[in-house]
Amino acid sequence: MKKIFGRQEEIAELKGYYDSGKSEFIAVYGRRRVGKTYLVDSLFGEEYAFSTSGIIGGTQEEELAAFTEDLRRAGYKGSKPRSWMQAFEALRTLLEQKLVPGKRLVVFIDELPCMATPKSSLVKAVDRFWNTWGSKHSEVFLVVCGSATSWIIRNIIDNKGGLHDRITHEKHLFPFTLGQAREYLRMNGFRWPDISVLQTYMILGGVPYYLDMLDRNKSLSENVDMLFFGKEAPLTREFDRLYKSLFSTPDKYKAVIRTLSGSRRGMTRRELATKMKINDNGHFGDILEDLINCDFIRYYNLMGKSVKTTGGLYQLVDFYSIFHQTFLTKKITDTHYWSNTMNTPAQNTWYGLSFERVAMAHIPQILKALGVDRILTQYYSWRSMESPQGAQVDLVIDRADGIVNLCEVKYSNGTYAISKDEFIKLNNRSEAFRRETGTKKGLFITFITTYGLKKNGYSDTINSQVTMADLFV
């Protein structure tokens, strides 16, 4: 088995399914480039009875040709399939020849959504294969995989036809956490300080494919220039490729990403549709759901009196997409742009925004740092509907022990100093929150910073702190 990093929980679960002694139909899905194929290959690659992969953008003829070639490579001697029904019947013929009682028969179909070209009847063929043969043999271990997460969920996991409730297990593979990203880099010979790892995460997120592109012999700024701004920089074209590989109409999805990239706090569905000048209908809802399922955006509750009419907030959370939309759309010609703009207001402003996203991606670590990870909690965003200044709290942690944490997220290259004006704003915001929500709970102001608070006359009024070090846990 190949060495796998940071997927201990997933490995244990998949091995448990392998040892279950019954037929298994497992769906593995998650953001493109997150390591789904590598995980399955590493665990079961040496035992494949058959494996194949869909072709991104392939026609039905091309998909069937590739499937047939993989069948022949695995030992199939029959006639060439002309449809997916025939193709999966051929797969059944192949597997029957390899079936040994009590020995696992591992079948891996990667990028299954790519095979589902219009009017291809692929799902019906998978349905028939599994229901009439696969599920009846305890040796069969079928794993399907796909980056088009919503397709997997709608057509396989939540299928309303013959595959309804036929999936035995599903596994959503998420990007690495900040702490996992640090360990992954260390495993690959990087000896960067935590602040450099944090900044790397703000740009690339916890996507192994992107982290593997870094050069440990270069500084972070040199790496960013190489990946994004240099001649033939590999990640300048990734944005279009990424969305084209996932969605049949990528421009509609990229339009949502572009719109949300311009909103620091996020937007309600109504605000988003209005800004984009499109109808807020079911199709638009499907687009938003697709982007959520693919880990590009998130939806979270908006606390307040108007929540029933406005709904929650949609926010762009894919770090690569945020960075691309912030900097790569400007047609920058300086091949050393990142190195030449270090510590400028533009770069520091972006770090501030991205650090907020990092914090929101590490709620479990924040709860643990506050010592409330064993307490029932809910978290929201809150926007004032009465304050003329539009007061907002990005992260509200509502605890069952009678406390509400109002969290402020601040990025700084050193300890963060609270000014008098900021102290006044914090108090006004807390008063507005209590008045508009009507809460009777105690309000604790919490600061989430890189290096903690600089001690002054205002820092002592802060109830709790979370630092960068806590987010690495």
Side-chain angles (χ1 to χ4, degrees):
M1 185 180 78
K2 296 179 183 177
K3 186 175 182 180
I4 311 172
F5 172 81
R7 301 297 188 190
Q8 285 76 18
E9 180 180 331
E10 292 86 351
I11 292 170
E13 290 182 354
L14 289 171
K15 284 184 174 180
Y17 305 152
Y18 181 88
D19 295 330
S20 69
K22 58 184 180 180
S23 60
E24 298 285 4
F25 185 177
I26 300 163
V28 180
Y29 57 93
R31 184 201 190 281
R32 183 163 171 77
R33 313 293 202 189
V34 82
K36 303 179 296 297
T37 303
Y38 184 83
L39 174 64
V40 179
D41 279 345
S42 298
L43 287 175
F44 309 116
E46 296 179 0
E47 300 183 57
Y48 289 156
F50 173 75
S51 69
T52 190
S53 178
I55 303 169
I56 295 175
T59 63
Q60 180 170 338
E61 183 179 355
E62 291 169 334
E63 301 287 357
L64 274 170
F67 193 91
T68 302
E69 182 62 31
D70 290 330
L71 280 171
R72 297 203 185 285
R73 191 176 292 112
Y76 176 70
K77 305 295 185 183
S79 59
K80 180 181 178 180
R82 301 293 181 181
S83 67
W84 284 118
M85 282 292 183
Q86 292 179 8
F88 275 85
E89 186 62 30
L91 175 59
R92 171 178 173 168
T93 300
L94 171 69
L95 296 177
E96 284 176 337
Q97 298 169 358
K98 298 188 174 191
L99 188 63
V100 176
K103 187 178 185 304
R104 269 299 185 199
L105 199 63
V106 181
V107 178
F108 180 39
I109 303 178
D110 196 10
E111 294 300 349
L112 179 67
C114 295
M115 301 178 183
T117 54
K119 300 179 181 180
S120 66
S121 298
L122 172 72
V123 175
K124 291 180 181 179
V126 175
D127 169 358
R128 187 173 188 279
F129 167 79
W130 182 253
N131 286 326
T132 63
W133 190 81
S135 63
K136 300 181 186 304
H137 296 277
S138 60
E139 293 82 6
V140 176
F141 188 79
L142 172 61
V143 181
V144 298
C145 193
S147 300
T149 300
S150 289
W151 189 96
I152 290 282
I153 292 174
R154 290 193 185 111
N155 293 279
I156 303 297
I157 297 172
D158 292 340
N159 185 281
K160 304 303 181 184
L163 286 178
H164 179 64
D165 283 342
R166 294 299 186 178
I167 288 286
T168 55
H169 302 284
E170 58 181 279
K171 175 52 61 180
H172 188 165
L173 205 63
F174 294 98
F176 289 152
T177 64
L178 185 58
Q180 289 174 327
R182 178 177 64 182
E183 294 308 309
Y184 188 74
L185 290 173
R186 286 178 176 175
M187 184 184 74
N188 286 287
F190 288 80
R191 294 294 179 263
W192 288 351
D194 283 355
I195 189 64
S196 294
V197 176
L198 172 64
Q199 292 171 344
T200 301
Y201 197 89
M202 292 177 183
I203 299 167
L204 302 176
V207 180
Y209 178 84
Y210 299 152
L211 296 176
D212 282 339
M213 300 176 80
L214 295 167
D215 185 343
R216 65 186 178 188
N217 296 313
K218 290 182 168 62
S219 67
L220 172 58
S221 59
E222 289 173 330
N223 270 287
V224 176
D225 285 332
M226 173 188 69
L227 294 176
F228 291 95
F229 303 105
K231 185 178 181 180
E232 300 299 318
L235 289 182
T236 56
R237 297 179 295 277
E238 168 71 0
F239 185 78
D240 289 332
R241 291 172 178 170
L242 180 62
Y243 289 89
K244 185 177 181 180
S245 70
L246 294 174
F247 309 114
S248 58
T249 55
D251 289 345
K252 295 179 180 180
Y253 293 84
K254 290 191 291 184
V256 174
I257 297 300
R258 284 193 295 269
T259 305
L260 285 177
S261 70
S263 174
R264 185 183 187 113
R265 307 304 182 190
M267 305 172 75
T268 66
R269 176 167 164 166
R270 182 184 300 172
E271 291 170 341
L272 188 54
T274 300
K275 182 74 173 179
M276 295 176 64
K277 298 180 180 179
I278 62 174
N279 293 325
D280 184 2
N281 53 24
H283 178 62
F284 181 55
D286 287 343
I287 291 174
L288 295 177
E289 183 181 354
D290 289 348
L291 289 169
I292 292 171
N293 288 334
C294 289
D295 300 321
F296 291 120
I297 69 175
R298 74 181 181 106
Y299 174 85
Y300 63 109
N301 291 328
L302 180 62
M303 188 179 185
K305 294 179 181 179
S306 65
V307 69
K308 291 183 179 180
T309 56
T310 63
L313 291 177
Y314 292 89
Q315 188 179 64
L316 178 58
V317 294
D318 180 62
F319 292 94
Y320 166 78
S321 296
I322 295 171
F323 188 85
H324 182 279
Q325 289 301 299
T326 304
F327 296 103
L328 274 296
T329 57
K330 297 178 180 179
K331 307 299 181 184
I332 293 168
T333 58
D334 184 355
T335 57
H336 298 91
Y337 173 80
W338 202 248
S339 298
N340 291 336
T341 58
M342 290 179 65
N343 297 317
T344 61
Q347 197 173 116
N348 289 333
T349 297
W350 174 79
Y351 274 133
L353 166 64
S354 196
F355 186 56
E356 291 177 6
R357 298 291 197 270
V358 172
M360 297 302 291
H362 291 78
I363 299 296
Q365 287 80 0
I366 293 172
L367 297 179
K368 185 175 180 64
L370 294 174
V372 298
D373 51 318
R374 301 282 184 178
I375 299 174
L376 177 65
T377 58
Q378 297 186 65
Y379 64 93
Y380 323 91
S381 178
W382 171 79
R383 288 197 299 193
S384 172
M385 305 305 294
E386 300 176 5
S387 170
Q389 290 79 27
Q392 177 161 333
V393 180
D394 292 330
L395 177 59
V396 178
I397 301 174
D398 195 343
R399 297 156 40 178
D401 61 354
I403 299 295
V404 174
N405 292 85
L406 305 181
C407 300
E408 293 286 320
V409 184
K410 301 293 183 182
Y411 176 85
S412 174
N413 289 323
T415 54
Y416 183 81
I418 301 175
S419 66
K420 179 180 179 180
D421 287 344
E422 187 171 14
F423 173 71
I424 294 172
K425 289 180 180 178
L426 290 171
N427 285 334
N428 291 338
R429 194 174 303 157
S430 297
E431 291 175 7
F433 178 87
R434 185 180 296 282
R435 181 176 65 254
E436 294 185 32
T437 62
T439 183
K440 303 298 182 183
K441 294 184 176 182
L443 300 183
F444 280 14
I445 296 178
T446 299
F447 264 73
I448 303 171
T449 63
T450 41
Y451 294 105
L453 295 176
K454 183 175 183 179
K455 192 167 182 60
N456 60 21
Y458 305 109
S459 61
D460 290 338
T461 66
I462 303 306
N463 301 97
S464 53
Q465 298 185 46
V466 176
T467 67
M468 170 179 63
D470 296 315
L471 300 182
F472 275 100
V473 175

PDB file of all heavy atoms in Angstrom, residues 14 37 58 63 99 125 172 186 196-197 200 237 241 292 404 451 460:
ATOM      1  N   LEU A  14     -12.791   2.812   5.154  1.00  0.00           N
ATOM      2  CA  LEU A  14     -12.760   2.050   3.907  1.00  0.00           C
ATOM      3  C   LEU A  14     -12.245   0.631   4.134  1.00  0.00           C
ATOM      4  O   LEU A  14     -12.752  -0.331   3.540  1.00  0.00           O
ATOM      5  CB  LEU A  14     -11.902   2.773   2.872  1.00  0.00           C
ATOM      6  CG  LEU A  14     -12.517   4.058   2.293  1.00  0.00           C
ATOM      7  CD1 LEU A  14     -11.492   4.812   1.447  1.00  0.00           C
ATOM      8  CD2 LEU A  14     -13.757   3.759   1.469  1.00  0.00           C
ATOM      9  N   THR A  37      -8.867   9.912  -5.914  1.00  0.00           N
ATOM     10  CA  THR A  37      -8.310   8.796  -6.693  1.00  0.00           C
ATOM     11  C   THR A  37      -7.077   8.229  -6.011  1.00  0.00           C
ATOM     12  O   THR A  37      -6.906   7.004  -5.920  1.00  0.00           O
ATOM     13  CB  THR A  37      -7.960   9.261  -8.116  1.00  0.00           C
ATOM     14  OG1 THR A  37      -9.128   9.806  -8.737  1.00  0.00           O
ATOM     15  CG2 THR A  37      -7.434   8.107  -8.946  1.00  0.00           C
ATOM     16  N   GLY A  58     -15.452  14.127 -22.533  1.00  0.00           N
ATOM     17  CA  GLY A  58     -15.520  13.109 -23.570  1.00  0.00           C
ATOM     18  C   GLY A  58     -16.927  12.922 -24.120  1.00  0.00           C
ATOM     19  O   GLY A  58     -17.913  13.158 -23.430  1.00  0.00           O
ATOM     20  N   GLU A  63     -16.118   7.810 -24.340  1.00  0.00           N
ATOM     21  CA  GLU A  63     -16.237   7.191 -23.017  1.00  0.00           C
ATOM     22  C   GLU A  63     -16.361   5.675 -23.137  1.00  0.00           C
ATOM     23  O   GLU A  63     -15.707   4.916 -22.414  1.00  0.00           O
ATOM     24  CB  GLU A  63     -17.453   7.760 -22.271  1.00  0.00           C
ATOM     25  CG  GLU A  63     -17.453   9.263 -22.049  1.00  0.00           C
ATOM     26  CD  GLU A  63     -16.462   9.726 -20.991  1.00  0.00           C
ATOM     27  OE1 GLU A  63     -15.802   8.876 -20.367  1.00  0.00           O
ATOM     28  OE2 GLU A  63     -16.330  10.951 -20.808  1.00  0.00           O
ATOM     29  N   LEU A  99     -14.456 -14.322 -10.332  1.00  0.00           N
ATOM     30  CA  LEU A  99     -15.095 -14.500  -9.025  1.00  0.00           C
ATOM     31  C   LEU A  99     -14.580 -15.755  -8.328  1.00  0.00           C
ATOM     32  O   LEU A  99     -14.663 -16.859  -8.870  1.00  0.00           O
ATOM     33  CB  LEU A  99     -16.608 -14.580  -9.208  1.00  0.00           C
ATOM     34  CG  LEU A  99     -17.464 -14.578  -7.940  1.00  0.00           C
ATOM     35  CD1 LEU A  99     -17.289 -13.272  -7.171  1.00  0.00           C
ATOM     36  CD2 LEU A  99     -18.932 -14.783  -8.298  1.00  0.00           C
ATOM     37  N   ALA A 125     -27.768   1.644 -16.484  1.00  0.00           N
ATOM     38  CA  ALA A 125     -26.864   0.508 -16.660  1.00  0.00           C
ATOM     39  C   ALA A 125     -26.200   0.131 -15.342  1.00  0.00           C
ATOM     40  O   ALA A 125     -26.080  -1.060 -15.022  1.00  0.00           O
ATOM     41  CB  ALA A 125     -25.813   0.847 -17.711  1.00  0.00           C
ATOM     42  N   HIS A 172     -17.369  11.660   1.859  1.00  0.00           N
ATOM     43  CA  HIS A 172     -17.039  12.984   1.340  1.00  0.00           C
ATOM     44  C   HIS A 172     -15.615  13.309   1.787  1.00  0.00           C
ATOM     45  O   HIS A 172     -15.344  13.428   2.973  1.00  0.00           O
ATOM     46  CB  HIS A 172     -18.027  14.016   1.885  1.00  0.00           C
ATOM     47  CG  HIS A 172     -17.890  15.372   1.264  1.00  0.00           C
ATOM     48  ND1 HIS A 172     -18.863  16.342   1.384  1.00  0.00           N
ATOM     49  CD2 HIS A 172     -16.908  15.938   0.536  1.00  0.00           C
ATOM     50  CE1 HIS A 172     -18.486  17.431   0.760  1.00  0.00           C
ATOM     51  NE2 HIS A 172     -17.290  17.217   0.239  1.00  0.00           N
ATOM     52  N   ARG A 186       5.587  19.500   6.085  1.00  0.00           N
ATOM     53  CA  ARG A 186       6.765  19.020   6.823  1.00  0.00           C
ATOM     54  C   ARG A 186       7.198  17.650   6.314  1.00  0.00           C
ATOM     55  O   ARG A 186       8.395  17.375   6.192  1.00  0.00           O
ATOM     56  CB  ARG A 186       6.444  18.951   8.319  1.00  0.00           C
ATOM     57  CG  ARG A 186       6.385  20.315   9.000  1.00  0.00           C
ATOM     58  CD  ARG A 186       6.025  20.186  10.462  1.00  0.00           C
ATOM     59  NE  ARG A 186       6.055  21.485  11.146  1.00  0.00           N
ATOM     60  CZ  ARG A 186       5.689  21.672  12.404  1.00  0.00           C
ATOM     61  NH1 ARG A 186       5.249  20.639  13.123  1.00  0.00           N
ATOM     62  NH2 ARG A 186       5.744  22.868  12.945  1.00  0.00           N
ATOM     63  N   SER A 196       4.031  31.324   7.657  1.00  0.00           N
ATOM     64  CA  SER A 196       4.166  31.042   6.227  1.00  0.00           C
ATOM     65  C   SER A 196       3.208  29.936   5.804  1.00  0.00           C
ATOM     66  O   SER A 196       2.631  29.984   4.706  1.00  0.00           O
ATOM     67  CB  SER A 196       5.604  30.636   5.892  1.00  0.00           C
ATOM     68  OG  SER A 196       6.486  31.722   6.103  1.00  0.00           O
ATOM     69  N   VAL A 197       3.019  28.936   6.670  1.00  0.00           N
ATOM     70  CA  VAL A 197       2.064  27.866   6.371  1.00  0.00           C
ATOM     71  C   VAL A 197       0.654  28.443   6.327  1.00  0.00           C
ATOM     72  O   VAL A 197      -0.143  28.104   5.441  1.00  0.00           O
ATOM     73  CB  VAL A 197       2.158  26.740   7.415  1.00  0.00           C
ATOM     74  CG1 VAL A 197       1.088  25.678   7.150  1.00  0.00           C
ATOM     75  CG2 VAL A 197       3.546  26.112   7.406  1.00  0.00           C
ATOM     76  N   THR A 200       0.239  30.301   3.133  1.00  0.00           N
ATOM     77  CA  THR A 200       0.101  29.322   2.055  1.00  0.00           C
ATOM     78  C   THR A 200      -1.321  28.794   1.991  1.00  0.00           C
ATOM     79  O   THR A 200      -1.919  28.667   0.909  1.00  0.00           O
ATOM     80  CB  THR A 200       1.076  28.152   2.268  1.00  0.00           C
ATOM     81  OG1 THR A 200       2.419  28.647   2.312  1.00  0.00           O
ATOM     82  CG2 THR A 200       0.950  27.116   1.163  1.00  0.00           C
ATOM     83  N   ARG A 237      -4.254  29.215 -15.270  1.00  0.00           N
ATOM     84  CA  ARG A 237      -5.294  28.615 -16.112  1.00  0.00           C
ATOM     85  C   ARG A 237      -6.150  27.598 -15.365  1.00  0.00           C
ATOM     86  O   ARG A 237      -7.093  27.048 -15.930  1.00  0.00           O
ATOM     87  CB  ARG A 237      -4.643  27.955 -17.332  1.00  0.00           C
ATOM     88  CG  ARG A 237      -3.916  28.928 -18.236  1.00  0.00           C
ATOM     89  CD  ARG A 237      -3.275  28.230 -19.417  1.00  0.00           C
ATOM     90  NE  ARG A 237      -2.220  27.313 -19.002  1.00  0.00           N
ATOM     91  CZ  ARG A 237      -0.959  27.682 -18.736  1.00  0.00           C
ATOM     92  NH1 ARG A 237      -0.620  28.961 -18.848  1.00  0.00           N
ATOM     93  NH2 ARG A 237      -0.063  26.799 -18.378  1.00  0.00           N
ATOM     94  N   ARG A 241     -10.163  25.638 -16.068  1.00  0.00           N
ATOM     95  CA  ARG A 241     -10.110  24.180 -16.162  1.00  0.00           C
ATOM     96  C   ARG A 241     -10.905  23.531 -15.041  1.00  0.00           C
ATOM     97  O   ARG A 241     -11.604  22.525 -15.252  1.00  0.00           O
ATOM     98  CB  ARG A 241      -8.655  23.710 -16.096  1.00  0.00           C
ATOM     99  CG  ARG A 241      -7.816  24.072 -17.312  1.00  0.00           C
ATOM    100  CD  ARG A 241      -6.362  23.741 -17.063  1.00  0.00           C
ATOM    101  NE  ARG A 241      -5.530  24.042 -18.223  1.00  0.00           N
ATOM    102  CZ  ARG A 241      -4.202  24.020 -18.202  1.00  0.00           C
ATOM    103  NH1 ARG A 241      -3.574  23.707 -17.084  1.00  0.00           N
ATOM    104  NH2 ARG A 241      -3.513  24.292 -19.294  1.00  0.00           N
ATOM    105  N   ILE A 292     -22.012  24.340  -3.289  1.00  0.00           N
ATOM    106  CA  ILE A 292     -21.857  23.936  -1.889  1.00  0.00           C
ATOM    107  C   ILE A 292     -21.315  22.513  -1.813  1.00  0.00           C
ATOM    108  O   ILE A 292     -20.365  22.222  -1.079  1.00  0.00           O
ATOM    109  CB  ILE A 292     -23.197  24.042  -1.130  1.00  0.00           C
ATOM    110  CG1 ILE A 292     -23.609  25.501  -0.974  1.00  0.00           C
ATOM    111  CG2 ILE A 292     -23.092  23.382   0.254  1.00  0.00           C
ATOM    112  CD1 ILE A 292     -25.016  25.682  -0.420  1.00  0.00           C
ATOM    113  N   VAL A 404     -22.928  33.585  24.918  1.00  0.00           N
ATOM    114  CA  VAL A 404     -22.796  33.799  23.474  1.00  0.00           C
ATOM    115  C   VAL A 404     -21.456  34.476  23.222  1.00  0.00           C
ATOM    116  O   VAL A 404     -21.172  35.529  23.776  1.00  0.00           O
ATOM    117  CB  VAL A 404     -23.936  34.682  22.923  1.00  0.00           C
ATOM    118  CG1 VAL A 404     -23.686  35.008  21.449  1.00  0.00           C
ATOM    119  CG2 VAL A 404     -25.282  33.998  23.088  1.00  0.00           C
ATOM    120  N   TYR A 451      -1.333  36.269  16.481  1.00  0.00           N
ATOM    121  CA  TYR A 451      -0.391  36.169  17.596  1.00  0.00           C
ATOM    122  C   TYR A 451      -0.961  36.630  18.940  1.00  0.00           C
ATOM    123  O   TYR A 451      -0.216  36.809  19.895  1.00  0.00           O
ATOM    124  CB  TYR A 451       0.868  36.986  17.290  1.00  0.00           C
ATOM    125  CG  TYR A 451       1.680  36.442  16.144  1.00  0.00           C
ATOM    126  CD1 TYR A 451       1.656  37.063  14.897  1.00  0.00           C
ATOM    127  CD2 TYR A 451       2.467  35.313  16.300  1.00  0.00           C
ATOM    128  CE1 TYR A 451       2.416  36.575  13.833  1.00  0.00           C
ATOM    129  CE2 TYR A 451       3.224  34.810  15.244  1.00  0.00           C
ATOM    130  CZ  TYR A 451       3.191  35.444  14.016  1.00  0.00           C
ATOM    131  OH  TYR A 451       3.927  34.964  12.976  1.00  0.00           O
ATOM    132  N   ASP A 460      -7.728  43.965  28.328  1.00  0.00           N
ATOM    133  CA  ASP A 460      -8.241  43.287  29.535  1.00  0.00           C
ATOM    134  C   ASP A 460      -9.755  43.164  29.532  1.00  0.00           C
ATOM    135  O   ASP A 460     -10.326  42.394  30.311  1.00  0.00           O
ATOM    136  CB  ASP A 460      -7.794  44.035  30.793  1.00  0.00           C
ATOM    137  CG  ASP A 460      -6.299  43.906  31.048  1.00  0.00           C
ATOM    138  OD1 ASP A 460      -5.707  42.929  30.524  1.00  0.00           O
ATOM    139  OD2 ASP A 460      -5.726  44.772  31.733  1.00  0.00           O
TER     140      ASP A 460
END
